[in-house]
Amino acid sequence: MIGRLLLLPLILLGLAQGAWGEERTGNGKATLPEAFGLPVRVHIALRVLNVLEIKEVSGQGRLHLELTQRWQDPRLAFDAVARGLAREDRVGEEADDYLKTIWSPGLALDNQIGDKDARIVALSVHADGEVVLIERFESDFRFRMDMDAFPFDRQNLTIGLSLPRYAQQEAIILTTEADRPFSGVEDALSVVDWRPVGLRFTNDLAIGWNARSYSRLNATVTIARYAERYHLRVFIPIIAVLAVSLFVLWSPGLKEQDKGGLIFSSLLALAAISFTFESSFPGSISLNTPVAEMISLGYLYLVAVLMFEIALSVAIAHPSFRWRDQAADLRWHLRWAVPAMMLIICIGAAVRVLPG
């Protein structure tokens, strides 16, 4: 009896080793298809059907994607003449159930947040053993946003695709010219302030927990902001506030206390505009954007106009001032030069961030 009890663990261990050996040799369909050699090549095509939402400050976006995976598994090949069809198609739950019985790459979206919503799946197995898996779904992603060029910015929405179950010696992910016709970005997007620019792929490597290298493919969707839609909302209010300086500089008979009141009112209006912009367009003021530069320089500009105008007005009005004529000439030139310099600086701040 004791001998039988000791023999039982050895039998179980032998069965486990046999099963493990069968799995490693590729006899089961859930193992790597090694007939064509390793690494297994998983071809990717990605079509961005829609960009549903962009959150610049939090660095998140919601995309509607069509993801196509294609790989070769000769164990699934069949006689097309005998079956009377060139491929077998499965959709929905039938495709998911069949996918559990065969080898699949286990593709992961590295920067995905949450699960896939509104998911539709289709699976095709061709007679030569080629497997094509197509998924349509909506999902949230985490992106790295750069607001420095607001509102002339372009954002690169990068989706990282990787195979975390297999090192690069076993399986790699790639896209070729044959896959490019199935990739792209739709022209019409749900985000009204953005337009699509293009889609590009770059290969990369990821280091796993066991210090092995894993294949990664980065799909970058580039979108550009419609800057002209921000002119009335952003730049016109700033210009209107700064234009008060022209009234202070050129208005005849305006008293010094009135000039000071106008400038201080403009400073308060500029501060109110900055708070409004920060709440309406988060990141436009707190970062190094053209709007932030214009508002910051606007404070200095308004104070400089007030100081120059009052100082020179007092000098000119004083009859015993030695340099009275020179002060009058300087005041005349500053009336043109100071607003012109401010205008050039504002235009330069905007041109600096324009895409090349």
Side-chain angles (χ1 to χ4, degrees):
M1 184 64 181
I2 297 177
R4 293 180 180 179
L5 292 176
L6 294 176
L7 184 61
L8 181 59
L10 297 177
I11 296 176
L12 294 176
L13 180 60
L15 292 175
Q17 290 178 345
W20 182 81
E22 181 181 356
E23 181 180 357
R24 295 300 298 173
T25 55
N27 294 331
K29 289 185 178 180
T31 58
L32 280 166
E34 302 179 1
F36 292 150
L38 296 180
V40 178
R41 289 167 173 80
V42 181
H43 295 259
I44 293 294
L46 181 67
R47 182 173 297 277
V48 181
L49 303 176
N50 202 352
V51 178
L52 303 172
E53 187 180 14
I54 294 294
K55 299 178 181 178
E56 291 94 336
V57 177
S58 59
Q60 296 182 11
R62 186 170 183 83
L63 276 62
H64 186 196
L65 304 176
E66 180 183 271
L67 180 60
T68 302
Q69 305 176 51
R70 181 168 57 89
W71 66 90
Q72 201 78 21
D73 191 345
R75 296 169 298 182
L76 302 178
F78 57 88
D79 189 348
V81 177
R83 295 196 184 184
L85 70 163
R87 71 172 189 265
E88 295 180 344
D89 297 327
R90 295 173 176 84
V91 181
E93 294 183 0
E94 183 183 3
D96 285 329
D97 293 339
Y98 182 76
L99 196 61
K100 297 176 183 178
T101 65
I102 64 175
W103 181 86
S104 62
L107 183 70
L109 305 176
D110 297 336
N111 54 330
Q112 181 182 5
I113 304 174
D115 298 327
K116 300 175 181 178
D117 300 325
R119 179 176 176 268
I120 301 174
V121 60
L123 180 68
S124 298
V125 179
H126 294 255
D128 61 352
E130 183 183 53
V131 183
V132 179
L133 175 63
I134 303 176
E135 292 181 283
R136 282 192 176 188
F137 58 90
E138 297 178 6
S139 187
D140 295 321
F141 294 89
R142 183 176 291 105
F143 302 111
R144 180 175 298 176
M145 299 289 188
D146 184 5
M147 292 285 292
D148 285 350
F150 174 87
F152 307 101
D153 55 325
R154 291 188 175 190
Q155 298 298 337
N156 294 318
L157 312 180
T158 300
I159 302 173
L161 304 100
S162 63
L163 305 176
R165 289 172 14 193
Y166 303 100
Q168 64 172 342
Q169 295 83 6
E170 298 173 331
I172 60 174
I173 181 173
L174 73 162
T175 183
T176 63
E177 292 299 327
D179 306 307
R180 298 298 170 85
F182 305 100
S183 300
V185 186
E186 296 296 326
D187 295 331
L189 303 179
S190 293
V191 282
V192 295
D193 290 335
W194 299 89
R195 60 180 177 85
V197 176
L199 173 69
R200 69 178 187 273
F201 294 92
T202 55
N203 286 101
D204 195 6
L205 289 178
I207 304 300
W209 293 104
N210 52 2
R212 292 200 301 175
S213 299
Y214 293 80
S215 177
R216 174 183 289 171
L217 183 68
N218 294 323
T220 302
V221 184
T222 303
I223 57 176
R225 196 189 300 269
Y226 283 111
E228 58 273 12
R229 298 183 179 179
Y230 290 81
H231 292 168
L232 291 177
R233 291 185 285 176
V234 176
F235 297 108
I236 298 302
I238 297 176
I239 294 174
V241 172
L242 297 180
V244 175
S245 63
L246 299 177
F247 183 75
V248 172
L249 291 171
W250 290 94
S251 179
L254 193 64
K255 296 180 180 180
E256 281 70 17
Q257 58 267 28
D258 296 332
K259 295 178 182 179
L262 288 174
I263 293 297
F264 285 120
S265 299
S266 300
L267 291 173
L268 293 176
L270 203 60
I273 288 176
S274 66
F275 284 115
T276 303
F277 286 169
E278 185 63 26
S279 60
S280 301
F281 312 107
S284 62
I285 305 299
S286 58
L287 301 176
N288 188 28
T289 65
V291 178
E293 292 182 8
M294 292 179 188
I295 291 180
S296 300
L297 291 174
Y299 294 124
L300 179 62
Y301 166 73
L302 292 174
V303 173
V305 166
L306 179 61
M307 293 177 62
F308 288 146
E309 181 63 20
I310 292 179
L312 294 176
S313 297
V314 171
I316 294 171
H318 201 285
S320 62
F321 183 62
R322 180 179 179 182
W323 309 101
R324 183 179 180 185
D325 294 337
Q326 289 80 355
D329 293 338
L330 180 60
R331 181 186 182 189
W332 173 263
H333 290 296
L334 287 178
R335 283 179 171 180
W336 292 99
V338 175
M341 291 174 59
M342 183 61 186
L343 179 61
I344 293 173
I345 291 174
C346 291
I347 294 176
V351 173
R352 176 179 58 85
V353 298
L354 290 177

